[in-house]
């Protein structure tokens, strides 16, 4: 059985190679290959090619593990470990040339269902900035070789918060009402466009907190481990008015309770 540290090293190695490929394809030009759940939800040829690279490397190096990827679906394994992969998180940024996108790779133990899995290792690599965030269970959260810690406590001027909006236009009114409830806690709000990076930014103290409804497992699997290993809290809540699309909140311990309550609306 590989240690969490060994899984982290593999995630880092594959994330670097995958990020280089994504970046190379970006410099060659991007074509939108298809739209998915809505017109805003796009996939490029690079998303698929990068996921194929990651999946191929994991199959070669960890043949008994399961796989859950955004573009190519799920396959269960025999080892109890599943790799949860977003080949390009921030695809709309990628398509528009905004330098905030990342490859996100996590190894989890248990059923590959958020809340029921235990995060073991994760790596999130933004090839444009060259930043590689990584963590392992019990081993801390890191940006390269710098150890990360969430902001604690938050400045009296208010919290710098991040959020995101789902692709389904029907959900926008609820998301905007949530922003209005949360703003009294905030000094300002960011919408970076890549959930994995939002979570890594909470871990790094670049954001005080983050909330978003309706994330997919691959959006948060690695970033959530970064947050908790950096001393923060990460949780999800089912919303009565939007079942099946839970709300996710991440922040340092002092901010977390108030942010969670404001975001849920309780
Ligand atoms: C999306 C990004 C975005 C978030 C969406 C995600 P994708 O992932 O993380 O910031 O607001 O909820 O689906 O589609 O670019 O991989
Ligand atoms: Ca993606």
């Amino acid at each position: 059985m590989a240690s969490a540290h060994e899984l982290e090293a593999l995630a880092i190695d594959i994330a670097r190679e995958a990020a280089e490929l994504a970046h190379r394809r970006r410099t060659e030009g991007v074509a939108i290959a298809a739209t998915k759940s809505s017109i805003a939800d796009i996939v490029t040829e690079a998303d698929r090619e990068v996921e194929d690279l990651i999946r191929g490397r994991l199959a070669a190096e960890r043949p008994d593990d399961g796989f859950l990827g955004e573009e190519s679906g799920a396959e269960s394994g025999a080892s109890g470990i599943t790799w949860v992969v977003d080949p390009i998180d921030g695809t709309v940024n990628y398509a528009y040339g905004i330098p905030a996108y990342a490859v996100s790779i996590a190894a989890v133990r248990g059923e590959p269902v958020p809340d029921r899995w235990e995060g073991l290792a994760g790596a999130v690599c933004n090839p444009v900035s060259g930043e590689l965030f990584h963590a392992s269970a019990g081993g801390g959260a890191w940006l390269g070789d710098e150890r990360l810690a969430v902001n604690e406590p938050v400045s009296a001027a208010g919290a710098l918060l991040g959020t995101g909006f789902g692709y389904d236009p029907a959900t926008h009114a609820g998301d905007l009402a949530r922003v209005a409830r949360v703003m009294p806690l905030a000094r300002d709000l960011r919408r970076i466009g890549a959930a994995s990076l939002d979570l890594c930014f909470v871990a790094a103290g670049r954001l005080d907190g983050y909330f978003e409804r309706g994330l997919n497992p691959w959006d948060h699997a690695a970033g959530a481990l970064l947050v908790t290993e950096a001393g923060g809290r990460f949780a999800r809540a089912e919303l009565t008015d939007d079942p099946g699309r839970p709300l996710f909140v991440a922040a340092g311990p002092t901010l977390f309770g108030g942010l969670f309550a404001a975001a849920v609306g309780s």
Side-chain angles (χ1 to χ4, degrees), residues 16-41:
R16 273 216 185 90
E17 186 183 344
E20 265 176 43
L21 174 62
H23 195 227
R24 197 161 65 243
R25 292 289 179 258
R26 182 67 191 70
T27 57
E28 292 165 0
V30 176
I32 293 169
T35 53
K36 299 194 284 185
S37 60
S38 77
I39 192 128
D41 188 5

Side-chain angles (χ1 to χ4, degrees), residues 64 151 196 203 215 255:
D64 293 336
N151 279 345
S196 60
L215 293 180
L255 174 64

